[in-house]
Amino acid sequence: MSVPGPAERFARAEAARAYPVTAAFADDQRFDLDPFQIAGCHALESGRSVLVAAPTGAGKTIVGEFAIHLAMREPSDKAFYTTPMKALSNQKFRELVDVYGPDDVGLLTGDTNINGNARVVVMTTEVLRNMLYAGSPALRDLRYVVMDEVHYLADRFRGAVWEEVIIHLPPAVRLVSLSATVSNAEEFGDWLDTVRGDTDVIVSETRPVPLEQHVLVRGDLLPLFDDRAGIATAQVNQELMRIRSFKGPTYENNRRAQAGRSAAMSGSRGRDGQHRRPHKGGQRPVRSANAQRIERLDRPEVIELLARSNLLPAIFFIFSRAGCDAAVQQVRRSGARFTTPEERAEIRAIVEERTRTLLEEDLAVLGFWEWRENLERGVAAHHAGLLPAFKEVVEELFQRKLVKVVFATETLALGINMPARTVVLEKLEKFNGEARVAITSGEYTQLTGRAGRRGIDVEGHAVVQWTEGLDPQAVAALASRRTYPLNSSFRPTYNMAVNLIDQFGRARAREILESSFAQFQADRAVVGLARQVKDAEESLAGYAKAMSCDKGDFAEYSGIRRELSDLEKLNRKDANASRQTRDKRQREISELRRRMQRHPCHQCPDREHHARWAERYWKLNRTVERLRGQIDARTGTVARVFDRIVDVLASLDYVRVDADGAATLTAAGRTMRRIYGERDLLVAESLRLGLWDSLDAPSLAALACALVYEPRRDEPGERALPRGAFREALAQTLDLWQRLDDLERDSRLPGSEPPAAGLALAMHSWAKGMPLDRVLREADLAAGDFVRWAKQTIDLLDQMSLVAEPSLATVARRALDGVRRGIVAYSSV
């Protein structure tokens, strides 16, 4: 590390004096803070909110941790740390407990409620949204909210929750928004500044660990870029272009002729024994000795190549679960092992400890013994079909450098702390549910962002495997571009509408929706106008208070004075008006003077003092009316959808709309406030109509599952259903869905997909206590998928237990208990 010069030492000393809390916090960290991290901490210490957009692994969370540090310096301040996923929340909870101890840190994820009134609470974003709508007392003394992975607000299904939280947080709360590198961070920051007040936007494009890009051609790791051309030009390695042009033996002959120049991955070693920058310029990395005639290396051979080149641990991104599992089996069949006897013993001990709560009879069903043996070899799969308990073990073992290779779907790229030395992409296309499509530059950046571990690696490595038809120029374009725009997915829902109306009334609710990022992107000016109206309304309330008079209604009195003044000015200006017009005006002036003199406030000794405030009031009111006119004149797409939703709610008697357009909630509307999810209206109507009152607990669990479950595209249309009252209840629910869907489409709303009962029988069996092997056969699902749908079923049953009539609420609680058992009940926290 270079020794700082006098100027740099002086600058640091000045910064330490200006920001002493940041300086002390930085001194306590294991690494020197980067400039963007320091800038984020300075913004918070100055009392401003901050948006930090930086690459994966750059250390954005240190800014969020500084916000928590600031809160804990005060005797009663609180900080909330929100994440998009329960796994991330669990991970962050454990980290913060290590820093602040279990008494001061809580966790709220829907599944888990630990110390919810602590001063630092980690939670999923939905939990915070629900707390805001419910006016939870836990919000008292809240000073900082960290929103990790805030770019999730682009998520089609859940993104609206992020915007709801940002809009509804109390004004005094400072917001720390942490985002992956996005190409429109400034636009998003402008919106945050508009709706939250002072917000600094800090963007870093710099990876803390440089990324080396390679293409694996047979047994050679070739640089993607020709470094001799200079980084600025990012010229593609010409040998790759020749390989594309001259296939087959030509390449073999060229490669053999250059074999003498092929260099092993040599060079000075970095921390953890890593070789530094193994192949520069004309050097060639080591090639697999037996790979001369192999068009594409088998996975075990690729891993061996990486191992010899000291490029493990590695993540292989394979865009299918079946592909991930097959890759593990391929390595297993090869007999390869990448662990020492000591590591295998440590792996076994960790696995036994982390899975001890799983039932013995379930282990064989889950493939536990084979899974554990694969882990002891140093390889594992990671995808949504895995049991959450298994995924957590894989993550822990990989972080501890015990598992050397993970075959993963792209879901691993979203936030979980699993950095590797090397990321391997076997293909640059994936199936999106309808067709095979090329991955985007944003996806490439997210995936390769896992390569390079700060404090361990001198550089990370991204390896693209050569495939027939690969275009090195296209790969270079993917690796060079940073186009990952953040686009709002915000749309009003029925639940959102009733909560907004209940808290703010219809008119104010529309203004709030005009403040959304969706509307900001549609018409940036509307948000600024809505903010001006909001600020002006607060000032108007102050002016109205200042001009109040104990003699009478001074607003009425000042209105008469204002009308009189305007008429007198008009009379003076319009000297050429006809005698009839002037006489008419004079009569109106005389009448206004009489009304003014008879008004009780005319005799007030402080009349002129009140009048000065009244003048300010009317002047500002005129400005507000003009601003409202501008907002109304623009196409408020979000508010227009809100109005259509209110129309549907009014037609079903969830709200009542008076002649002026104001809306109030009915009893049914108040129930809907606590029903969240894609089918909020269908659930509320079904409860109100008593469609599920005859169901027992397993049948109610099955019905709830039908409302949350989304079938696979290849799923057979007809599946067996639970017998008895379930079938009649499902038929009535489907009939109700059809009527609601027609009503929505008549109101120019998009409608929804019908409930899907494909998992209903399996959920019914599970809630009845049937064994796991039978349930998974009925479900025809991987254990991880079944657990995911079971947890969503639990969420809906929990809502029903709170809002349904007492008898059905009791059944919902029994159903909830029936589903929350075994592998579904497992929690590592």
Side-chain angles (χ1 to χ4, degrees), residues 181 183 211 213 425 428 430 438-449 474-485:
T181 305
S183 50
L211 184 65
Q213 310 268 359
L425 299 180
L428 295 177
K430 64 177 185 177
I439 65 172
T440 66
S441 58
E443 289 169 330
Y444 183 91
T445 302
Q446 283 285 97
L447 297 168
T448 58
V475 180
L478 276 178
S480 303
R481 284 203 304 269
R482 292 291 180 268
T483 52
Y484 186 74

Side-chain angles (χ1 to χ4, degrees), residues 292-497:
Q292 291 185 4
R293 290 183 175 81
I294 297 176
E295 182 64 28
R296 183 182 171 99
L297 294 184
D298 287 338
R299 291 185 183 109
E301 294 175 299
V302 176
I303 299 169
E304 291 286 0
L305 172 63
L306 295 177
R308 288 196 305 275
S309 304
N310 200 26
L311 294 180
L312 297 181
I315 298 172
F316 284 64
F317 280 110
I318 301 173
F319 300 115
S320 84
R321 300 176 186 183
C324 292
D325 293 333
V328 173
Q329 291 305 315
Q330 190 179 10
V331 175
R332 177 189 178 87
R333 287 194 300 272
S334 75
R337 286 187 186 274
F338 306 101
T339 53
T340 65
E342 294 76 20
E343 288 174 328
R344 289 196 283 277
E346 190 176 351
I347 288 169
R348 180 169 289 223
I350 291 171
V351 169
E352 296 294 341
E353 170 61 25
R354 298 293 181 267
T355 60
R356 59 187 166 77
T357 59
L358 296 176
L359 299 176
E360 190 74 25
E361 61 265 28
D362 292 344
L363 295 182
V365 180
L366 297 168
F368 171 83
W369 314 110
E370 186 177 305
W371 171 74
R372 188 181 67 182
E373 185 186 333
N374 291 333
L375 291 176
E376 291 178 18
R377 289 178 181 275
V379 296
H382 189 288
H383 54 69
L386 271 184
L387 190 69
F390 286 11
K391 278 200 296 186
E392 290 169 14
V393 170
V394 171
E395 291 158 13
E396 180 177 354
L397 294 177
F398 194 78
Q399 289 164 18
R400 293 190 182 203
K401 295 181 277 188
L402 295 170
V403 164
K404 316 297 183 182
V405 177
V406 168
F407 298 99
T409 56
E410 69 264 40
T411 54
L412 186 145
L414 301 173
I416 296 294
N417 180 25
M418 277 184 68
R421 178 165 293 171
T422 303
V423 162
V424 179
L425 299 180
E426 295 192 346
K427 294 179 180 177
L428 295 177
E429 61 177 23
K430 64 177 185 177
F431 186 69
N432 68 357
E434 295 177 353
R436 298 207 69 82
V437 296
I439 65 172
T440 66
S441 58
E443 289 169 330
Y444 183 91
T445 302
Q446 283 285 97
L447 297 168
T448 58
R450 290 281 156 206
R453 299 162 300 174
R454 187 169 188 167
I456 301 173
D457 299 327
V458 175
E459 62 199 8
H461 298 268
V463 176
V464 174
Q465 284 196 264
W466 185 274
T467 55
E468 192 67 30
L470 185 80
D471 180 0
Q473 293 280 11
V475 180
L478 276 178
S480 303
R481 284 203 304 269
R482 292 291 180 268
T483 52
Y484 186 74
L486 184 60
N487 293 315
S488 172
S489 60
F490 184 85
R491 58 182 178 82
T493 64
Y494 296 105
N495 170 271
M496 187 192 303

Side-chain angles (χ1 to χ4, degrees), residues 677-728:
E678 291 288 304
R679 299 197 184 276
D680 45 10
L681 182 60
L682 180 59
V683 172
E685 272 293 89
S686 298
L687 291 175
R688 185 166 69 159
L689 296 173
L691 301 189
W692 307 332
D693 289 355
S694 62
L695 297 179
D696 60 11
S699 297
L700 186 60
L703 203 296
C705 179
L707 296 176
V708 299
Y709 178 60
E710 295 171 18
R712 304 187 301 271
R713 290 175 184 272
D714 60 346
E715 186 170 305
E718 292 295 323
R719 299 283 288 268
L721 297 176
R723 299 179 184 279
F726 171 84
R727 298 187 181 189
E728 177 62 24

Side-chain angles (χ1 to χ4, degrees), residues 396-601:
E396 180 177 354
L397 294 177
F398 194 78
Q399 289 164 18
R400 293 190 182 203
K401 295 181 277 188
L402 295 170
V403 164
K404 316 297 183 182
V405 177
V406 168
F407 298 99
T409 56
E410 69 264 40
T411 54
L412 186 145
L414 301 173
I416 296 294
N417 180 25
M418 277 184 68
R421 178 165 293 171
T422 303
V423 162
V424 179
L425 299 180
E426 295 192 346
K427 294 179 180 177
L428 295 177
E429 61 177 23
K430 64 177 185 177
F431 186 69
N432 68 357
E434 295 177 353
R436 298 207 69 82
V437 296
I439 65 172
T440 66
S441 58
E443 289 169 330
Y444 183 91
T445 302
Q446 283 285 97
L447 297 168
T448 58
R450 290 281 156 206
R453 299 162 300 174
R454 187 169 188 167
I456 301 173
D457 299 327
V458 175
E459 62 199 8
H461 298 268
V463 176
V464 174
Q465 284 196 264
W466 185 274
T467 55
E468 192 67 30
L470 185 80
D471 180 0
Q473 293 280 11
V475 180
L478 276 178
S480 303
R481 284 203 304 269
R482 292 291 180 268
T483 52
Y484 186 74
L486 184 60
N487 293 315
S488 172
S489 60
F490 184 85
R491 58 182 178 82
T493 64
Y494 296 105
N495 170 271
M496 187 192 303
V498 294
N499 273 292
L500 287 173
I501 290 170
D502 184 52
Q503 281 196 291
F504 305 107
R506 184 177 185 177
R508 178 80 184 98
R510 290 182 97 261
E511 290 175 12
I512 288 170
L513 294 173
E514 293 283 10
S515 299
S516 67
F517 187 44
Q519 187 61 49
F520 186 81
Q521 290 189 305
D523 182 355
R524 293 184 63 163
V526 167
V527 175
L529 293 172
R531 177 68 182 247
Q532 290 179 51
V533 168
K534 181 185 173 187
D535 291 344
E537 284 176 336
E538 292 173 359
S539 298
L540 282 174
Y543 293 167
K545 187 175 180 181
M547 74 176 179
S548 63
C549 175
D550 57 3
K551 301 285 186 184
D553 184 349
F554 203 89
E556 181 184 68
Y557 175 73
S558 64
I560 297 170
R561 283 179 52 143
R562 185 167 196 80
E563 192 178 350
L564 175 60
S565 174
D566 289 345
L567 204 54
E568 286 176 336
K569 284 179 188 173
L570 180 62
N571 216 21
R572 285 195 297 272
K573 281 184 182 177
D574 195 8
N576 297 323
S578 67
R579 182 179 182 85
Q580 183 180 5
T581 300
R582 292 177 65 83
D583 286 347
K584 181 183 176 186
R585 282 184 192 151
Q586 195 58 51
R587 286 195 298 273
E588 290 174 352
I589 288 170
S590 299
E591 176 59 27
L592 286 170
R593 280 181 180 155
R594 276 195 298 274
R595 286 178 58 199
M596 181 185 71
Q597 290 164 358
R598 291 174 183 168
H599 198 283
C601 293

